[in-house]
């Protein structure tokens, strides 16, 4: 089960602005407006005003979103540099995030809801049409600020809603820039980015003018968001944490998969909801797997995301680094062994050595909970049933993967995983067209693909008889 985590504190406020830290140095480099909850009535009021026109013309919306995608791409260098500065990820990953952001705007611009007749033999012509909901509140975390912002705002705007989006106080700057870039293509009030610290998000999700709350973040905050949104009984979509398992089969080629498996766990410094967070290896291959992953961890270049050779940046923020250190220390105290890393790096900034943990008992928090950082436990199994049971023995249900040469056999094992997406010999490869829906504590509602669009629409049924007075 997910354990509770305290809300993350941000640096203090001075003169209505709060400091933003560079995780590669630990130094403040910029400030963002510390907006207060009493501003929300005006913000949501403007979103309502803007909704009146925005909801009426689908093709105008498509044109605007395509222009927003072009503008995002054109601002790519500036966005990427700022994103790396405040988030920490290597510049190449920031560029990939921006490309994905623009692609998602394009994807939803071109996706139209389809009216559907209801045919049940009665002499009526009933049709389902689709209507937007109204102002949408979007709240996102700090790991993929732009990509996750676009995952919220692209389907919501395409559906004809307006959006008030609140980024994490750790990463508000690139999102503010993205908002101003995208807004050059949108009418006033259609998209508003608000920045600030709690209780700004809590008050936004419970605001009576909000008709859909779409949240990405941790399980404990997700619960608070759902409870807050209950006040206005609006729709709620939650995309929460994960503890994805990778099961390696007997016929896996360890050397061949080691790079891909390693980066499925360590991309974005392991701060990925759908990262591989536990590896289950057959006992016969256990030491080979630990060794292959440890060797990658030891040779990974760790540094500032702005340095050209960097493969792994810092952890984004101090509370998250403390969590990674705590889970690692607990795993070692529980009898685990660091085959690589196992400690914070002795340098300025929030750097943690890429860490491979062996011999960790299955009850240790690094196995049962979401570490969300550059630390990966590898566990041995004796029978496949044992591995599948262990993979499913979690409160989370986001993704999972199976790795082996016999694809049919691997697929049969993948079919037994209790999660939203299962991969074979891959992990976290997502199409814009697929549904993204965690089960258990990993989420409520469906994002992605047409489901993401319909998640921002309500059905409106028109029922008319075949003849006037029948
Ligand atoms: P978090 O839950 O601490 O914060 C997420 C956002 O919620 C932030 O913007 C934060 O300021 C805001 N917030 C905090 N308290 C709030 C409240 N009471 N009401 C409303 N908003 C509030 O999460 P985090 O540490 O920023 O992000 C990491 C988590 O996000 C991990 O658990 C990760 O798995 C999850 N995540 C999930 C997905 C997914 O798609 N399933 C994607 C990325 C990250």
């Amino acid at each position: 089960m997910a354990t509770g985590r305290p809300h993350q504190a941000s640096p203090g406020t001075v003169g209505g602005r709060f400091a933003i830290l560079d995780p590669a140095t630990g130094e403040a480099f910029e400030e963002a407006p510390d907006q207060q909850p009493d501003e929300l009535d005006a913000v949501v009021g403007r979103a309502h005003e803007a909704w009146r026109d925005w909801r009426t013309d689908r093709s105008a919306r498509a044109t605007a979103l395509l222009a927003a995608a072009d503008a995002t791409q054109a601002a790519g260098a500036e966005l990427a540099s700022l994103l790396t500065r405040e988030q920490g990820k290597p510049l190449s990953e920031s560029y990939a995030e921006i490309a994905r952001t623009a692609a998602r705007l394009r994807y939803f611009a071109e996706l139209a809801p389809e009216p559907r007749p209801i045919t049940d033999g009665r002499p009526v012509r009933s049709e389902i049409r689709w209507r937007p909901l109204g102002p949408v509140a979007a709240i996102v975390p700090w790991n993929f600020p732009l990509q996750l912002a676009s995952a919220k705002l692209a389907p919501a705007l395409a559906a004809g809603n307006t959006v008030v989006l609140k980024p994490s106080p750790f990463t508000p700057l690139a999102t503010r820039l993205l908002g101003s870039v995208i807004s050059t293509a949108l009418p006033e009030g259609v998209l508003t980015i608000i920045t600030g610290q709690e209780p700004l998000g809590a008050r936004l999700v419970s605001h009576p003018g909000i008709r859909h709350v779409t949240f990405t973040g941790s399980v404990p905050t997700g619960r608070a968001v759902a409870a807050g949104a209950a006040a206005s009984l609006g729709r709620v979509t939650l995309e929460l944490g994960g503890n994805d398992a990778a099961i390696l089969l007997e016929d896996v080629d360890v050397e061949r998969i080691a790079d891909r498996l390693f980066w499925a766990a360590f991309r974005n410094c392991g701060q990925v909801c759908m990262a591989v967070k536990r590896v289950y290896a057959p006992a016969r291959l256990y030491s080979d797997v630990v060794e292959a992953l440890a060797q990658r961890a030891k040779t990974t270049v760790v540094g500032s995301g702005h340095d050209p050779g960097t493969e792994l940046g810092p952890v984004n923020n101090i509370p998250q680094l403390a969590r990674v250190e705590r889970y690692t220390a607990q795993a070692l105290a529980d009898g685990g062994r660091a085959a690589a890393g196992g400690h914070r790096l002795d340098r300025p900034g929030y750097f943690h050595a890429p860490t491979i943990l062996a011999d960790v008992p299955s009850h240790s928090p690094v196995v049962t909970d979401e570490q969300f950082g550059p630390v990966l436990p590898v566990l041995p199994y004796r029978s496949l049933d044992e591995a599948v049971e262990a993979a499913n023995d979690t409160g989370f249900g986001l993704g999972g993967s199976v790795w082996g040469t016999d694809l049919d056999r691997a697929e049969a094992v993948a079919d037994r995983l209790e999660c939203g997406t299962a991969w074979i010999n891959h992990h976290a490869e997502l199409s814009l067209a697929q549904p993204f829906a965690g089960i258990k504590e990993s989420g409520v509602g469906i994002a992605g693909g047409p489901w993401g669009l319909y998640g921002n629409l309500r059905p409106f049924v028109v029922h008319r008889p075949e003849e006037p007075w029948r």
Side-chain angles (χ1 to χ4, degrees):
M1 300 285 282
T3 55
R5 67 162 96 182
H7 294 320
Q8 298 168 349
S10 291
T13 306
V14 184
R17 299 177 73 78
F18 61 102
I20 310 304
L21 307 182
D22 178 343
T25 62
E27 308 272 328
F29 74 98
E30 200 23 302
E31 295 172 338
D34 194 19
Q35 291 181 262
Q36 298 302 312
D38 62 10
E39 298 176 44
L40 288 173
D41 283 347
V43 167
V44 177
R46 279 196 295 277
H48 257 286
E49 279 296 307
W51 185 49
R52 278 183 224 280
D53 284 343
W54 181 249
R55 68 203 232 180
T56 58
D57 186 345
R58 204 201 75 78
S59 79
R61 292 200 298 270
T63 305
L65 289 176
L66 290 173
D70 291 345
T72 300
Q73 219 156 16
E78 201 186 347
L79 281 166
S81 176
L82 192 51
L83 180 58
T84 287
R85 191 84 197 268
E86 69 176 351
Q87 204 285 335
K89 64 186 67 188
L91 208 46
S92 59
E93 291 187 27
S94 289
Y95 273 108
E97 180 163 348
I98 287 147
R100 186 94 173 163
T101 299
R104 193 176 263 118
L105 287 164
R106 284 199 185 97
Y107 174 81
F108 281 103
E110 284 160 1
L111 197 64
E114 289 177 10
R116 278 214 352 225
I118 299 173
T119 47
D120 60 2
R122 291 181 302 158
V124 292
R125 266 196 273 160
S126 288
E127 189 178 70
I128 308 171
R129 297 168 191 173
W130 295 95
R131 297 279 189 264
L133 302 169
V136 171
I139 299 206
V140 291
W142 44 260
N143 60 336
F144 290 95
L146 303 187
Q147 201 168 306
L148 294 172
S150 73
K152 306 292 187 204
L153 62 89
L157 295 178
N161 304 301
T162 52
V163 175
V164 178
L165 185 139
K166 192 200 78 66
S168 165
F170 292 113
T171 52
L173 299 175
T175 312
R176 270 170 64 79
L177 179 57
L178 178 73
S180 61
V181 165
I182 289 181
S183 291
T184 57
L186 304 177
E188 175 106 21
V190 166
L191 171 64
T192 309
I193 310 292
I194 53 166
T195 61
Q197 306 172 85
E198 284 314 303
L200 187 63
R203 293 281 288 278
L204 174 63
V205 300
S206 58
H207 194 284
I210 293 296
R211 299 316 307 149
H212 178 200
V213 173
T214 174
F215 170 83
T216 297
S218 64
V219 172
T221 313
R223 277 191 224 290
V225 165
S232 60
L233 289 177
R235 189 176 295 179
V236 177
T237 304
L238 304 174
E239 297 172 57
L240 306 178
N243 191 10
D244 292 11
I247 299 178
L248 276 47
L249 301 182
E250 283 283 351
D251 65 353
V252 80
D253 183 334
V254 175
E255 263 313 305
R256 196 143 185 193
I257 65 153
D259 277 335
R260 190 181 287 176
L261 180 62
F262 179 81
W263 285 110
F266 286 87
R267 185 171 70 97
N268 202 26
C269 204
Q271 303 162 128
V272 181
C273 55
M274 282 190 149
V276 168
K277 298 197 174 112
R278 304 171 278 157
V279 172
Y280 291 93
R284 187 179 63 81
L285 298 177
Y286 185 67
S287 52
D288 292 352
V289 173
V290 170
E291 206 29 62
L293 291 171
Q295 192 253 330
R296 264 90 191 155
K298 287 174 187 164
T299 53
T300 294
V301 180
V302 180
S304 159
H306 278 287
D307 293 346
T310 292
E311 296 176 297
L312 194 98
V315 172
N316 174 257
N317 55 71
I318 295 171
Q320 190 56 35
L321 179 62
R323 178 187 177 89
V324 170
E325 287 189 279
R326 198 167 61 244
Y327 280 22
T328 303
Q330 184 65 50
L332 298 176
D334 287 341
R337 164 175 72 85
H343 51 84
R344 181 181 178 168
L345 293 183
D346 184 18
R347 55 187 281 182
Y350 314 143
F351 292 95
H352 194 280
T355 296
I356 302 296
L357 294 173
D359 307 330
V360 181
S362 58
H363 62 76
S364 196
V366 79
V367 179
T368 59
D369 199 5
E370 186 187 31
Q371 64 275 41
F372 214 64
V375 176
L376 180 66
V378 185
L379 297 106
Y381 71 83
R382 269 150 204 89
S383 77
L384 203 48
D385 285 347
E386 179 194 333
V388 172
E389 198 174 312
N392 290 336
D393 184 19
T394 167
F396 295 104
L398 208 49
S401 56
V402 181
W403 303 67
T405 303
D406 180 340
L407 293 178
D408 289 338
R409 183 152 181 272
E411 187 172 340
V413 178
D415 208 40
R416 297 170 62 190
L417 294 179
E418 293 167 4
C419 55
T421 310
W423 294 270
I424 292 148
N425 296 344
H426 283 269
H427 201 104
E429 295 281 318
L430 291 171
S431 159
L432 291 174
Q434 78 170 81
F436 186 86
I439 62 168
K440 301 195 264 183
E441 291 182 352
S442 287
V444 172
I446 310 176
W451 301 269
L453 185 71
Y454 287 105
N456 281 284
L457 291 162
R458 65 180 175 85
F460 173 63
V461 179
V462 176
H463 174 114
R464 77 177 243 189
E466 292 282 6
E467 292 168 35
W469 307 115
R470 276 188 73 181

